[in-house]
Amino acid sequence: ASGTTFNLGATLGTYIVEDLSGNVDSCSFTVTVLTAPTGDLIECPADVVVSTDPNLCQARVNGIAPIVLVDPATIQSIEYSIFNSTGSTMGSNDASGAVFPLGISTVQYIATDFGNNRDSCLFSVTVVDDMLPTWTNCPVDTILAAANLPDCRATVSWNEPIPNDNCSIVTLNRTHSPGDTFDLG
């Protein structure tokens, strides 16, 4: 019956019902009493450094589940929070599979056992951009132009190349622009 005290381990509980016609049915369940954990419940993985996903300025990160240090059956819940430059995200169980922006994010896990004991840990996920910028519409390697007489110079135009990057272009330097005048040679 509800409110009964149970010993450590598994105990089978059974209800039996009989009606006036002698029909009988039963249902059973198991109550398992576990030892209450003492000390740490979880441990965080080591800090993680990953590259951005191809052509993106972010990374989906897997394999960052907390390490449960006690019998998993004693854990009532595990929650996580992710803090970074875009704000914060919260969820249940495991942050694996979450998308992290460029830069450093802090992940906090909080575990609660059935005795309402809580334990937490922190680690960081750093997403780095190691993809080189690329160019679209780069001019041909050599542009030939006829010099104007009498100054032996030529004004040359071309379609300006377009830089591309998975995150952002910080600086764009050029030695010449379309429409510049060049000396002979």
Side-chain angles (χ1 to χ4, degrees), residues 93-107:
N93 298 322
D94 180 1
S96 291
V99 174
F100 291 82
L102 184 68
I104 300 173
S105 298
T106 301
V107 180

Side-chain angles (χ1 to χ4, degrees), residues 41-42 66 68 72-80 91-94 109-119:
L41 303 175
I42 57 170
V68 177
T74 64
I75 300 294
Q76 180 178 347
S77 67
I78 296 177
E79 307 292 325
Y80 68 83
S92 298
N93 298 322
D94 180 1
Y109 282 114
I110 299 174
T112 305
D113 67 13
F114 285 101
N116 286 323
N117 298 307
R118 292 169 56 100
D119 186 21

Side-chain angles (χ1 to χ4, degrees), residues 14 19 25 31-32 51 53 61 81 109 116 145 149-150 153 156:
T14 304
D19 65 14
D25 196 12
V31 173
T32 304
S51 296
D53 290 341
V61 180
S81 297
Y109 282 114
N116 286 323
L149 295 176
R153 300 179 81 200
V156 182

